[in-house]
Amino acid sequence: MAQELDLIPGTEWGFFTPPRPMCIAGPCSAETEEQVMETARGLHAIGIHVFRAGIWKPRTHPGSFEGVGTPGLRWLRRVKEELGMKVCTEVASEKHVLGCVKYGVDMVWIGARTSANPFLMQEIADALEGTDIPVLVKNPVNPDLDLWIGALERLNRAGIRRLGVIHRGFSTSAAIPYRNDPGWKLAIELRTRYPQMTFFADPSHIAGGRSYLQELSQRAMDLGLDGLMVECHCNPSCAWSDARQQITPAALKDLLESLVIRETTSDNVDYREGIGALRARIDVIDEKLLELLKERMDVSLHIGEYKKNHNVAILQTGRWEEVLRSMITRGAELGLSENAITAIMTAIHDESVRVQNTILES
Ligand code: PEP
Ligand code: MN
């Protein structure tokens, strides 16, 4: 059973100033002191106040560059002292948390491989207890909303109220242009459940390539998310990790300037009246849809009884394919997409089969 979360909104963390998006930027990995300082200076010059850099890197293969470790924390401290930026890094264990506390790291994030692991989440939550360091939790690599929420609950129980999330998409074997499936639906679900949660998107890890960053960042803004975490490097193509998805500070400036930021709502009276009237119409239509669905289910029940009495199987694939095909054709005439019709009709049909099966079992 999910618990309520006691949260302080990101605007009150003392890290981010309006306008949207709140922005966190910096290299995938801290590589050398020079690379960290040069990237941070470039970002500071374009008005970024929160710097990220991975110190401990979760890599698929041993022997790949696994991060510089503790020495990198000194470089982050230098960024903080020389440029006055807030600094953050990824933690995946108690040891990492203790290192961050020791070197004054301002904020930490939990990576997608770690948020999927309740043992590690509990270890990190215990280590963070009493520190008051803000924490951002990336979604687990697999699209499991409860696992994501469970990670947030553990941190919140440990007293972390400056708590936010980063949506970075999900691992997939499907052939898509991005590195990860954006799976925005899950982000919207989490957003709806915890509207007060500070919400970032990580277009870099969703994209996996520079050319998709703009469209993904715009999408995140259109969904009303609060911020972006973007991987930036002073010399992206030579980066030691995630070279294809990193951009220069100058490219980040262009990206941010290109974004169209729409308000999540408006105080304008005409807008409020107009949207109110349209929503009232939608409510009436939804009510009718429910009544029609109920009527359809009742007929379906009768069909179930009929099949039972005549000893006929519930699922008639031929008939179902015919219904779907004709609905898609009729839908197309009305300007409705094949995907939408297929999804809606499949859900209705699944429920009909379930209801008819209850008759058979009764
Ligand atoms: C990262 O932010 O560098 C990172 C490793 O991300 P993720 O956990 O989303 O893969
Ligand atoms: Mn990365």
Side-chain angles (χ1 to χ4, degrees):
M1 180 61 192
Q3 67 192 42
E4 283 306 306
L5 298 177
D6 180 13
L7 302 168
I8 299 175
T11 45
E12 293 169 26
W13 294 2
F15 282 55
F16 304 101
T17 42
R20 216 165 44 108
M22 297 173 174
C23 193
I24 303 169
C28 177
S29 305
E31 298 163 3
T32 64
E33 187 164 5
E34 293 65 39
Q35 167 252 6
V36 165
M37 291 313 298
E38 191 182 337
T39 307
R41 280 191 203 103
L43 290 168
H44 183 256
I46 64 158
I48 301 295
H49 305 298
V50 185
F51 183 74
R52 67 150 277 161
I55 299 288
W56 302 279
K57 300 303 298 179
R59 303 306 297 278
T60 304
H61 297 287
S64 316
F65 171 59
E66 291 185 312
V68 291
T70 311
L73 291 170
R74 290 184 203 283
W75 311 338
L76 287 187
R77 194 169 58 188
R78 195 174 154 204
V79 169
K80 192 172 155 156
E81 286 170 358
E82 282 187 22
L83 300 168
M85 296 171 88
K86 300 278 187 192
V87 295
C88 62
T89 194
E90 172 176 344
V91 291
S93 70
E94 180 188 17
K95 185 186 124 209
H96 296 166
V97 172
L98 296 180
C100 288
V101 171
K102 184 167 170 203
Y103 285 87
V105 169
D106 299 292
M107 178 165 71
V108 294
W109 80 84
I110 315 285
R113 292 153 198 81
T114 308
S115 65
N117 183 330
F119 289 129
L120 284 177
M121 281 313 306
Q122 194 55 53
E123 176 182 321
I124 294 166
D126 291 343
L128 281 165
E129 189 154 7
T131 61
D132 200 32
I133 294 179
V135 184
L136 301 176
V137 183
K138 290 198 171 196
N139 62 267
V141 276
N142 52 322
D144 183 333
L145 189 58
D146 276 325
L147 204 51
W148 198 0
I149 292 174
L152 294 164
E153 287 170 345
R154 287 176 198 279
L155 291 162
N156 203 222
R157 279 186 182 204
I160 307 291
R161 295 173 63 221
R162 293 194 291 172
L163 185 60
V165 292
I166 306 174
H167 180 65
R168 49 79 79 200
F170 306 98
S171 289
T172 177
S173 55
I176 57 169
Y178 308 131
R179 172 175 173 184
N180 285 300
D181 177 357
W184 293 112
K185 209 172 109 200
L186 232 85
I188 295 166
E189 246 179 277
L190 189 69
R191 182 93 170 135
T192 311
R193 210 173 300 183
Y194 303 105
Q196 73 285 34
M197 175 80 72
T198 307
F199 216 120
F200 287 82
D202 172 348
S204 306
H205 286 90
I206 299 177
R210 286 181 267 285
S211 57
Y212 302 117
L213 289 182
Q214 205 285 337
E215 67 190 46
L216 290 165
S217 303
Q218 184 62 57
R219 188 74 204 278
M221 291 300 101
D222 292 345
L223 290 173
L225 304 194
D226 303 299
L228 299 172
M229 178 188 255
V230 184
E231 285 193 339
C232 283
H233 192 289
C234 53
N235 190 0
S237 53
C238 296
W240 297 0
S241 60
D242 287 349
R244 290 190 316 123
Q245 71 197 30
Q246 303 203 56
I247 55 174
T248 59
L252 176 64
K253 181 170 186 282
D254 290 345
L255 189 158
L256 292 173
E257 284 171 2
S258 78
L259 295 176
V260 179
I261 308 294
R262 297 177 184 90
E263 295 303 322
T264 45
T265 186
S266 166
D267 290 333
N268 179 291
V269 177
D270 285 347
Y271 168 81
R272 284 190 173 277
E273 281 177 4
I275 200 90
L278 290 168
R279 284 183 175 153
R281 274 175 65 190
I282 288 276
D283 290 346
V284 172
I285 294 168
D286 285 348
E287 185 69 27
K288 279 192 204 152
L289 278 175
L290 277 186
E291 284 164 12
L292 281 172
L293 275 176
K294 165 80 175 111
E295 198 179 325
R296 193 185 191 284
M297 283 307 158
D298 287 346
V299 176
S300 199
L301 267 175
H302 274 114
I303 294 179
E305 279 160 7
Y306 221 71
K307 285 178 182 163
K308 183 181 179 182
N309 293 340
H310 292 83
N311 209 17
V312 171
I314 295 294
L315 187 60
Q316 315 263 310
T317 45
R319 157 83 182 145
W320 158 237
E321 278 161 15
E322 195 186 301
V323 169
L324 184 60
R325 209 172 318 112
S326 80
M327 290 300 281
I328 289 171
T329 310
R330 180 75 187 111
E333 285 164 16
L334 297 171
L336 300 169
S337 85
E338 177 170 342
N339 278 351
I341 296 293
T342 306
I344 293 164
M345 289 311 296
T346 303
I348 292 175
H349 178 253
D350 286 352
E351 180 60 7
S352 279
V353 171
R354 192 190 66 77
V355 164
Q356 291 187 359
N357 269 321
T358 61
I359 301 269
L360 210 60
E361 286 155 11
S362 65

